Amino acid sequence: MATSRFENAVLEAENTLLEFLETFETIQNNMRIERLPEFQAELLALAPEGFGYLLEKLSREGPSQDLLQFRDSLVAGTRHCGNALASFLMADERTYSLMAVDMRRSLYRGMQLLYGVRAHTPTLASYWLLPEAAAAKELLEVPSPDADAPMGIIHRRREAPLADYSLYVPESYTPSREWPMIVCLHGAGGRGDQFIWSWLRPAKSLGYMVLAPKSLDVTWSILRPGLDAGSVTGMLEEVSSEYNVNRGRVYLTGLSDGGTFTYLLGLSRSQHFAGIAPVAADFSGMMDDLLRGKQGLDTPIHMVHGAQDHIFHVAQVRSGHALLERLGYNVTYEELPDWGHSYCSFVNERMVMPWFEGLSEL
């Protein structure tokens, strides 16, 4: 009977956490500070008392001995998600930027733990797959018998000239074939171990590795591009020495400052990348020498920007696109009329990943 009650508590936690993660992600994708009270009300209606009742149920209903570690991880992951929710609900327009740091730290700690117990939480596990990949869920989790390196989400600490980085290796990885890779660059003040989650769902579903570097400083070395350029390409070489990476299908993308650095890195070291996709990025004056020298002229570029971006005005990005076209670059541009400057998982899934996939068919 106790086990049955525990299973019911787990299922309730799965359903609640899935709704929270989906709702919270949608809010972050559409986040604009003037809508903060509206978004807070939406989350408050979803979980008026936070996740305390879930934690109490999971802790009270003791599982069998072999499920104790699973229960502890689920409890810890739920607690971190509850902390993220609390940080978001406490924020106001003045404190949001500061509270968002705590919110993101708690959210991604929670997601790391919850992803680790997905074998026991099949309902919640659907969060990390595209709908069209649901039928192949079991196959995507089967490790190859000849795999000889770690798989899943991996976080690595490094020292200069390399920065820290995170890596996703599909759980079905096999060294007997080459695997495409996405290199994704976080925004200012961000971290690779957080930004990687914006790419996990499409990468897992479609069989891509993901390399998510941390900038050497708080943001990318836009004024001295060689610093982070050497770090990122050094990581790429390190990972390629361990895994069978398809070096002809390594794609580069980034958000905000990471998008600006995507231009600088992708054009200056175009030999490493089959295509680059800057998202919500500034069209930096540091590109002048690259453009004059027609560096990376044949590298496919896909620009994605929101018309409501309050950080990098859309008019400048439109002008940058027109300039690239005049210079003969292989560039396309996608503008989102209602999007601002925020989280970009839906952009990655619906715009950038299909573009990467299209490049592989050329």
Side-chain angles (χ1 to χ4, degrees):
M1 182 65 70
T3 300
S4 177
R5 289 198 299 266
F6 175 69
E7 290 172 349
N8 290 336
V10 169
L11 184 58
E12 183 176 0
E14 284 189 76
N15 288 324
T16 301
L17 288 167
L18 178 60
E19 186 178 10
F20 164 72
L21 290 173
E22 291 177 339
T23 302
F24 202 40
E25 182 177 341
T26 299
I27 287 172
Q28 292 303 304
N29 279 323
N30 296 282
M31 187 63 203
R32 291 173 47 191
I33 195 66
E34 66 271 17
R35 296 183 64 188
L36 179 60
E38 169 194 341
F39 291 142
Q40 289 173 324
E42 184 177 357
L43 282 175
L44 193 59
L46 188 154
E49 299 178 5
F51 297 148
Y53 73 100
L54 287 177
L55 294 170
E56 193 275 332
K57 275 189 176 183
L58 290 169
S59 300
R60 183 183 65 231
E61 307 297 349
S64 56
Q65 188 69 27
D66 60 324
L67 292 177
L68 285 175
Q69 185 174 355
F70 156 64
R71 191 272 309 273
D72 291 347
S73 294
L74 179 59
V75 166
T78 303
R79 182 175 292 112
H80 282 304
C81 287
N83 291 340
L85 172 62
S87 294
F88 186 78
L89 293 177
M90 287 190 296
D92 56 30
E93 290 191 14
R94 181 179 56 85
T95 63
Y96 179 77
S97 295
L98 183 61
M99 298 300 292
V101 174
D102 289 335
M103 176 191 75
R104 286 191 292 267
R105 180 167 54 242
S106 296
L107 177 66
Y108 295 117
R109 285 176 176 173
M111 288 176 67
Q112 181 81 43
L113 288 161
L114 296 176
Y115 186 70
V117 298
R118 65 195 180 282
H120 296 288
T121 54
T123 299
L124 182 57
S126 66
Y127 177 71
W128 287 288
L129 284 176
L130 297 175
E132 56 267 32
K137 179 174 67 174
E138 293 184 5
L139 291 176
L140 294 174
E141 294 287 353
V142 177
S144 170
D146 60 351
D148 55 357
M151 293 170 287
I153 297 279
I154 302 158
H155 305 296
R156 290 178 170 173
R157 298 187 65 83
R158 291 293 183 264
E159 297 181 355
L162 300 188
D164 298 343
Y165 66 88
S166 294
L167 181 68
Y168 172 67
V169 180
E171 285 77 10
S172 57
Y173 170 81
T174 172
S176 63
R177 72 174 180 88
E178 295 181 322
W179 292 75
M181 172 180 282
I182 295 165
V183 180
C184 61
L185 309 182
H186 61 77
R191 299 166 53 109
D193 58 1
Q194 297 178 355
F195 193 52
I196 195 170
W197 294 96
S198 72
W199 272 104
L200 178 63
R201 189 183 297 124
K204 183 181 181 75
S205 300
L206 296 171
Y208 282 67
M209 297 177 65
V210 181
L211 173 61
K214 168 74 178 71
S215 57
L216 285 165
D217 208 331
V218 294
T219 193
W220 302 96
S221 53
I222 291 169
L223 298 180
R224 299 177 63 193
L227 296 178
D228 276 308
S231 176
V232 173
T233 55
M235 296 171 190
L236 180 56
E237 296 302 328
E238 181 173 279
V239 172
S240 297
S241 70
E242 298 177 61
Y243 297 91
N244 193 0
V245 177
N246 186 339
R247 296 300 293 265
R249 292 186 63 196
V250 176
Y251 307 104
L252 177 65
T253 184
L255 172 68
S256 191
D257 272 14
T260 300
F261 199 71
T262 291
Y263 285 121
L264 296 171
L265 174 61
L267 297 181
S268 67
R269 307 204 179 186
S270 59
Q271 70 273 22
H272 294 292
F273 306 109
I276 68 173
V279 176
D282 185 21
F283 201 79
S284 172
M286 295 301 294
M287 293 170 59
D288 287 351
D289 288 343
L290 296 174
L291 299 184
R292 287 195 182 98
K294 299 292 184 74
Q295 293 193 45
L297 186 66
D298 296 326
T299 301
I301 305 170
H302 188 56
M303 304 165 62
V304 182
H305 209 81
Q308 307 304 317
D309 195 312
H310 63 289
I311 303 295
F312 302 133
H313 197 276
V314 69
Q316 183 176 351
V317 178
R318 291 170 183 163
S319 296
H321 170 239
L323 173 62
L324 288 172
E325 283 193 319
R326 286 197 303 273
L327 293 174
Y329 279 85
N330 180 3
V331 60
T332 54
Y333 175 56
E334 194 163 1
E335 185 172 299
L336 305 177
D338 299 320
W339 193 49
H341 195 94
S342 58
Y343 194 67
C344 64
S345 61
F346 84 102
V347 172
N348 296 342
E349 290 178 17
R350 301 176 197 173
M351 291 121 201
V352 180
M353 180 61 101
W355 185 74
F356 287 157
E357 285 276 272
L359 291 178
S360 70
E361 298 170 359
L362 297 177

